[in-house]
Amino acid sequence: MTEPAPTTRATGTTGSTEAGTIDPRRMNILGVVLFLFIPVVLFLFVAHPAPVAGSVGAGLLLMAGHRFLARPYMLAARPHKCIWCNGVFAVRSGAENAPRRAVELAQGGPVPPLELLACAAHVEPTRRFFAFVDRLRQPLRVGIGLPLGLLLGALVAFSAGVGDWTEPATALFRLSVGLTVNLAALGPWLGAPREQSRPAFPVHNFYLLGIRAILWIFRLVGIWWIAAGGLYWLKAAGLLQ
Ligand SMILES: [Zn+2]
């Protein structure tokens, strides 16, 4: 990414006073470990190894518990790393690597907005991404939430011996999530470079690896899931043997 440093109101100072006190290597390893919760949960839901009820229960527990680890991680890491490239401000010299305010993200209610920091070159793609997913917040949430609800419903029905809709529900989940995350990943190109946004997804997940890496995972896994889920539905519709 080579976007020029935008504008104006970059603070350049936030968090830099604490920058000497952290261990960048440890922070990044912890980010990767916390990120790995997400593929584990997806595996439990999509592959649903037997006993299916156990997989669903374990997946839901990990999902619920994850935010209590990932959100404190975000709050601790936020002053120290670029939300876009995951680079640690303190280990890189030069004015272009000093922290700047990229986005103020509304947190709802009386909680003050969260200030997301980036290095100079990454202020603009960060603003574009958050503005884009803010604008498409409702379709993005439906595109993930609805097929997730149907998949969990199908897995619970299967465990209870009510019926087996697990295969179509899994294929729908992969197709819909694949399309939705690929749409979200267009944000850095299509969004307006706005400073204030509201979050469409839990922002703490983007702090684990940085937005840039997360969006590449969205694109690549998304294409795989579109192919796998789409193939099932093309066969089900009799359009493929
Ligand atoms: Zn950066």
Side-chain angles (χ1 to χ4, degrees):
M1 293 288 162
T2 53
E3 288 85 353
T7 67
T8 50
R9 299 204 287 138
T11 58
T13 54
T14 312
S16 59
T17 50
E18 303 162 64
T21 62
I22 50 121
D23 177 350
R25 207 175 128 84
R26 199 165 154 250
M27 183 166 62
N28 285 336
I29 291 172
L30 192 56
V32 172
V33 169
L34 288 172
F35 173 79
L36 290 175
F37 276 60
I38 299 169
V40 169
V41 169
L42 290 172
F43 171 79
L44 289 169
F45 291 163
V46 169
H48 41 266
V52 171
S55 288
V56 174
L60 288 173
L61 267 179
L62 283 173
M63 229 171 107
H66 184 249
R67 78 180 306 278
F68 295 103
L69 299 172
R71 190 167 164 84
Y73 173 84
M74 170 185 76
L75 295 176
R78 192 195 55 86
H80 304 292
K81 48 181 203 176
C82 170
I83 176 71
W84 181 264
C85 70
N86 211 35
V88 177
F89 299 124
V91 301
R92 301 185 302 180
S93 58
E96 71 278 13
N97 289 320
R100 291 154 198 258
R101 182 171 64 202
V103 171
E104 273 182 10
L105 206 61
Q107 298 200 87
V111 188
L114 198 65
E115 193 178 60
L116 310 184
L117 306 180
C119 45
H122 298 145
V123 167
E124 180 150 330
T126 301
R127 288 183 178 172
R128 290 182 184 279
F129 171 70
F130 279 105
F132 185 75
V133 294
D134 178 1
R135 197 161 166 203
L136 293 181
R137 190 162 83 260
Q138 293 310 336
L140 293 174
R141 284 179 178 172
V142 171
I144 292 172
L146 183 65
L148 176 62
L150 290 173
L151 175 58
L152 293 176
L155 295 175
V156 169
F158 177 76
S159 311
V162 176
D164 186 358
W165 299 281
T166 54
E167 216 182 339
T170 304
L172 179 67
F173 176 75
R174 294 173 94 180
L175 178 60
S176 181
V177 171
L179 289 168
T180 305
V181 297
N182 264 281
L183 177 63
L186 295 175
W189 294 298
L190 300 184
R194 217 172 56 203
E195 199 173 335
Q196 276 98 15
S197 284
R198 293 163 298 176
F201 302 117
V203 64
H204 51 253
N205 289 334
F206 291 104
Y207 262 102
L208 302 177
L209 302 181
I211 297 172
R212 183 169 62 189
I214 298 270
L215 291 189
W216 276 109
I217 293 169
F218 277 12
R219 291 182 190 111
L220 297 174
V221 175
I223 289 167
W224 168 34
W225 278 17
I226 290 167
L231 204 61
Y232 174 90
W233 284 104
L234 287 174
K235 284 182 179 168
L239 296 171
L240 272 181
Q241 290 295 311

